[in-house]
Amino acid sequence: MSDAHAEATHPHDAHHVNYFAIFVALLVCTALSVVFDLVPLNGYIVTFLVLAVATAKAMFVMTYFMHLKFEGGWKFVILLPTAILAVGLMIALTPDIGLHYYTYDVPQVREYDKAHGIEFGAPHAEAEHAHDGHSAAPADKPGH
Amino acid sequence: MSHANHTPAMKMGIPIPNSKLGMWLFLGTEIMFFTAFIGTYIVCFFGSPGWPTSTEVTHINIALGGINTFVLILSSYFVVVAHEAMGLRDFVKARKFLTYTFALACVFLGIKGVEYKGKFDHNILPGRIAENQFQLMNNRAREFETVLNKELDKIVPGRQLPYEKEKELEKRREEALKADPKSVTVQTIDAWRELRVQLETLRTDLSANKLTPEQVEERIHHLPNNVIDIQAQMYHDQKIIPYGNLFASCYFLMTGFHAIHVIVGMILFARPLTSTLDERWTDWVENSGLYWHFVDLVWIFLFPLLYIVPGSLGHAM
């Protein structure tokens, strides 16, 4: 049994990968994501493109650098459950924390509604983001 | 059952060394570990109206993040070249590239240190960020008090509590006055007492709800600073950042655990680098390489999620 084991320990010696080419591909992907950030597209499209590029980079690293292309079926046995659980966690948390399908009574939401003239308790159309912190608005009453 | 002359008909197990399987299983758990934090960050981001996205507020440096991405990708490439060299028994080349990888890891941590210092300098820390006016004013008053206590420690060194030290001030002032009426000690103690009175007035007015943040800033700005310079020791641009503490928590959790993983990777590389590199280290180098590629993978996802997406989504809305 140990003979078969030693013989099969390094099967990937037969497969030659041009690591430099993969490295260049990774650099191109990084440059692409910077380019997508600078081009004035809709924010959601930029997000999708940048995350797609990140996924492509991850696939390059996993398939070639980590050699998964040449490994057997065990890679799915190990990686699929973790991937499913990872995505599952986000799906599980989204309704309560990501979407707030009920009125979410925390100080930050009350402040946000006050600052935007929204009546507290009225549903928001979608999560809106003020994109910078603001210094105190003089119109607000001092104190809390 | 005798094993003496019996060859098993079925091959048992997966044709990889146990250490490699062990490393992959560990990496599987690490995937869940990091996606817990990254998933939480994503969910909190979308569920928090007013989440800070502007880099002027969050002090996130996209250029440094990009350089770090390049550094890690290059180090991944070097590790894979070292692993290839180990397979070809070229141990000199393997040692060379492992050293480069280790050096690039140090560069990554250095740049991360610069980024963290930027955050500390602006008080972007979980639990320290004001999320409404009341917290902002109280933070400023507390900061004033902290600086005042530091100055008191300079006048009365020792491990007593501040109020005990204050009682000693009168004694010290008299001693200094007898020695030299114009001594620096007398002036310093007088200046400190004046600032203490200002702090008390500020706190009283704050408790009575009489002040706006602008008025608090005015008072701090007009504190006498000819003997003791208070303003120089306080933060300069404190803002109200809604969800700032949650943002800081997520940021430091994700990047902090990633940095810890980088350090562990460096320890893994240090072991073969501090011994004679030969065939016995082949599996170690391969598994350390796998671990290092995983660290790179995490950063490949952290970079867009922390540096690029908040800016682009912030502008979209």
Side-chain angles (χ1 to χ4, degrees), chain B residues 141-165:
Chain B
R142 206 176 334 123
E143 220 186 311
F144 183 5
E145 179 167 12
T146 310
V147 172
L148 216 53
N149 283 340
K150 272 200 221 144
E151 291 295 327
L152 184 60
D153 286 342
K154 285 189 209 161
I155 303 174
V156 186
R159 298 178 62 183
Q160 303 133 297
L161 293 169
Y163 75 89
E164 292 169 343
K165 292 191 183 185

Side-chain angles (χ1 to χ4, degrees), chain B residues 47-64:
Chain B
S48 308
W51 184 278
T53 51
S54 156
T55 53
E56 281 163 23
V57 173
T58 60
H59 295 285
I60 279 191
N61 191 326
I62 300 183
L64 286 183

Side-chain angles (χ1 to χ4, degrees), chain B residues 11-25:
Chain B
K11 201 162 73 162
M12 302 282 283
I14 305 170
I16 55 173
N18 286 342
S19 56
K20 184 166 170 180
L21 178 62
M23 179 53 84
W24 268 113
L25 283 169

Side-chain angles (χ1 to χ4, degrees), chain A residues 19-34 53-54 56-58 60-61 65, chain B residues 65-81 100-101 104-105 108 258 292-293 295-301 303-304:
Chain A
Y19 293 121
F20 187 72
I22 306 295
F23 170 61
V24 169
L26 285 170
L27 285 185
V28 167
C29 287
T30 311
L32 264 184
S33 58
V34 174
V53 166
K57 288 204 291 201
F60 274 129
V61 170
F65 280 2
Chain B
I67 294 175
N68 265 349
T69 312
F70 169 71
V71 163
L72 276 186
I73 292 179
L74 187 61
S75 69
S76 262
Y77 172 61
F78 284 162
V79 134
V80 104
V81 168
Y100 293 161
T101 308
L104 283 174
F108 177 87
H258 183 259
W292 193 253
H293 291 131
V295 166
D296 186 22
L297 268 177
V298 172
W299 183 260
I300 282 175
F301 281 107
F303 173 62

Side-chain angles (χ1 to χ4, degrees), chain A residues 52-143:
Chain A
V53 166
T55 313
K57 288 204 291 201
M59 289 314 295
F60 274 129
V61 170
M62 283 178 66
T63 355
Y64 292 104
F65 280 2
M66 294 173 102
H67 235 272
L68 281 182
K69 185 172 183 198
F70 311 108
E71 308 282 10
W74 54 265
K75 63 187 178 217
F76 297 113
V77 174
I78 294 180
L79 293 177
L80 275 183
T82 73
I84 292 171
L85 284 170
V87 172
L89 173 84
M90 254 189 277
I91 294 176
L93 290 175
T94 302
D96 277 322
I97 306 181
L99 291 180
H100 295 317
Y101 61 89
Y102 47 85
T103 305
Y104 196 51
D105 189 358
V106 290
Q108 290 94 338
V109 172
R110 284 188 180 259
E111 291 277 331
Y112 181 85
D113 284 353
K114 195 165 68 169
H116 286 70
I118 304 171
E119 184 198 322
F120 176 70
H124 295 174
E126 55 182 41
E128 295 173 51
H129 294 255
H131 44 241
D132 44 2
H134 48 280
S135 304
D140 286 343
K141 212 171 97 172

